[in-house]
Amino acid sequence: MAGTVAPFGPHYGFGLYVHWPYCSKICPYCDFNVYAAKSRDNGPLLKAINDDIRIHRPRMPEHGALDTVYFGGGTPSLLTPSEIETILATADSTFGVKLDAEITLEANPNDIMRADLRGLKAAGVNRLSIGVQSLRDNALAFLGRDHDAASARAAVDRALKVFRNVSVDFIYARPSQSLDEWGEELSDALALGAPHLSLYELTIEQRTAFGKSVERGELVPMGPDAQADLYDLTQTITTSAGLEAYEVSNHASAPKYRSRHNMIYWNGGDWIGVGPGAHGRVTVGGKRYASEAQRQPNAYIANVQALGSGWSEAGALPPLDIARELMAMGLRPAGGINLDRIEMLSNETVPREKIDVFVEQGWARYDGAILSLTPSGWLLADAITAQLAP
């Protein structure tokens, strides 16, 4: 390994993910670790999150300052600027936060309309990710959102007046959605002027309200062929508009607007996960560890107070598992993955004859040691990964 770059770790980026688990309304498609927001004292959970950040420092002596901080959830836009500033101050005093760090806050349109946006900016937030999900009122009602299309447009407009780096989320491939309907809505989404769009096909998870509706026969998901047609249309429209995909579901008008935090996940970097149910991946002493915090907020608070969260020596990931995860995540961004990293970990050669077939089919590109998928290959990403992973 002397003179070479490790196949994973902070060389590929170092981030902090903060999970705020409360939502004013839980959406029927949501499979995240979320709870209904009520009148409550945020103090104990905020203290636990700050303590959790500090607990990680002595375990990670090799890590420098953070490249990114991401507030996700849940609905972290329910936090006040001062609460966010406190967490960022803890991160800075504990690890350091780089001057050019990307600091993202997920937000709902209604929160954007009543938030102190300049206060959030002063607190350190420099990127907003707004969960619009649709610009059609009937679709918003179906998705269980608590805003309408007009307020969504107003929220994005208000956000762009304070933050240049704004991402907007949409969900498509809804039951019975036509190509024409999605094409018109996507054109409207592009007209909002945000430099980043995250466009996700509706995925129905078993334990969600939508999942239960499918089990009862009340909801019929869109079939895979129709989803593929909508995906192809999405790539055509966004590319024509100058927001070509840089990852399976993410589009940016310029490299500076790509999600640097998500790139850490896709590239095999390190991130600390704090807050109820948060996941992390950290490298210590050449070993990679997976962490998962207690999911229930009170259990998380108690665990941080008693033991601290994080990982143990017994939790070190086997090299083969790391290689498989790197392959699965590394084929998501357009830049692809260096297969030398996979082979260094697995001590196996990725089968070139299979890669040749994928290239011939137009599903992949192979340049030197770099393997990447084309947009048509992204539709088959899981199957391709299964064929190539060690």
Side-chain angles (χ1 to χ4, degrees):
M1 295 284 289
T4 64
V5 174
F8 56 85
H11 172 82
Y12 301 97
F14 178 36
L16 169 66
Y17 173 75
V18 180
H19 187 80
W20 190 254
Y22 298 118
C23 290
S24 55
K25 185 178 182 182
I26 297 176
C27 300
Y29 56 84
C30 182
D31 191 39
F32 297 137
N33 186 44
V34 297
Y35 303 86
K38 301 175 182 176
S39 179
R40 69 176 78 242
D41 177 11
N42 287 343
L45 181 53
L46 287 167
K47 181 181 184 304
I49 287 172
N50 283 300
D51 288 345
D52 199 358
I53 295 170
R54 296 186 188 100
I55 287 166
H56 280 76
R57 175 75 273 185
R59 299 170 173 173
M60 303 173 64
E62 305 163 18
H63 288 69
L66 292 157
D67 297 298
T68 66
V69 181
Y70 193 102
F71 291 87
T75 310
S77 54
L78 294 173
L79 293 169
T80 66
S82 63
E83 290 169 333
I84 290 169
E85 187 174 24
T86 297
I87 295 172
L88 290 173
T90 298
D92 191 35
S93 63
T94 304
F95 285 95
V97 177
K98 292 182 179 178
L99 290 176
D100 65 344
E102 175 192 88
I103 300 174
T104 302
L105 178 73
E106 289 184 352
N108 283 338
N110 287 345
D111 295 332
I112 290 291
M113 293 307 295
R114 54 181 170 247
D116 176 6
L117 296 184
R118 297 195 182 279
L120 290 173
K121 190 173 184 178
V125 174
N126 55 30
R127 181 176 184 269
L128 292 179
S129 178
I130 306 175
V132 167
Q133 313 310 359
S134 179
L135 290 173
R136 300 293 183 265
D137 286 340
N138 60 342
L140 289 168
F142 167 73
L143 293 169
R145 305 297 288 170
D146 60 359
H147 62 271
D148 59 19
S151 60
R153 294 173 190 273
V156 175
D157 183 64
R158 185 170 190 255
L160 285 169
K161 289 177 179 175
V162 179
F163 294 89
R164 183 64 196 109
N165 197 352
V166 173
S167 176
V168 185
D169 289 5
F170 286 88
I171 294 174
Y172 70 102
R174 305 183 295 263
S176 301
Q177 186 178 29
S178 71
L179 287 168
D180 286 344
E181 289 169 341
W182 173 233
E184 291 175 3
E185 186 175 354
L186 181 53
S187 295
D188 290 347
L190 289 161
L192 294 173
H196 189 282
L197 295 181
S198 294
L199 307 172
Y200 301 110
E201 295 174 46
L202 177 63
T203 301
I204 297 180
E205 304 291 347
Q206 188 173 9
R207 63 182 182 179
T208 64
F210 274 175
K212 293 179 175 62
S213 293
V214 170
E215 287 180 3
R216 294 191 295 265
E218 300 167 353
L219 180 65
V220 178
M222 180 174 287
D225 289 344
Q227 287 190 34
D229 290 342
L230 287 173
Y231 187 83
D232 288 341
L233 178 64
T234 299
Q235 307 317 306
T236 299
I237 292 175
T238 54
T239 298
S240 297
L243 269 78
E244 188 172 5
Y246 69 95
E247 189 267 347
V248 175
S249 303
N250 287 276
H251 306 253
S253 62
K256 66 181 178 180
Y257 295 121
R258 295 173 183 173
S259 172
R260 290 167 55 195
H261 186 81
N262 284 342
M263 290 301 292
I264 291 174
Y265 299 158
W266 301 324
N267 287 338
D270 279 11
W271 72 94
I272 298 166
V274 299
H279 292 252
R281 293 286 186 278
V282 296
T283 304
V284 178
K287 295 182 179 180
R288 190 159 177 81
Y289 296 87
S291 66
E292 181 179 1
Q294 292 280 346
R295 291 176 61 85
Q296 207 280 333
N298 287 337
Y300 170 77
I301 293 167
N303 188 60
V304 171
Q305 290 172 341
L307 303 172
S309 65
W311 65 95
S312 66
E313 284 292 330
L317 294 169
L320 198 57
D321 288 357
I322 301 171
R324 289 167 176 162
E325 183 173 82
L326 281 182
M327 177 72 84
M329 299 301 285
L331 288 177
R332 294 187 64 87
I337 183 75
N338 188 324
L339 296 185
D340 289 347
R341 297 169 64 190
I342 307 299
E343 294 174 350
M344 188 187 306
L345 279 164
S346 65
N347 289 318
E348 296 181 18
T349 300
V350 178
R352 299 304 191 269
E353 66 277 7
K354 291 184 178 180
I355 291 175
D356 290 342
V357 172
F358 298 145
V359 171
E360 290 170 7
Q361 293 293 328
W363 301 333
R365 303 182 185 94
Y366 186 54
D367 183 10
I370 306 298
L371 176 67
S372 60
L373 300 185
T374 64
S376 58
W378 275 332
L379 284 168
L380 304 167
D382 290 345
I384 291 173
T385 300
Q387 287 285 314
L388 298 178

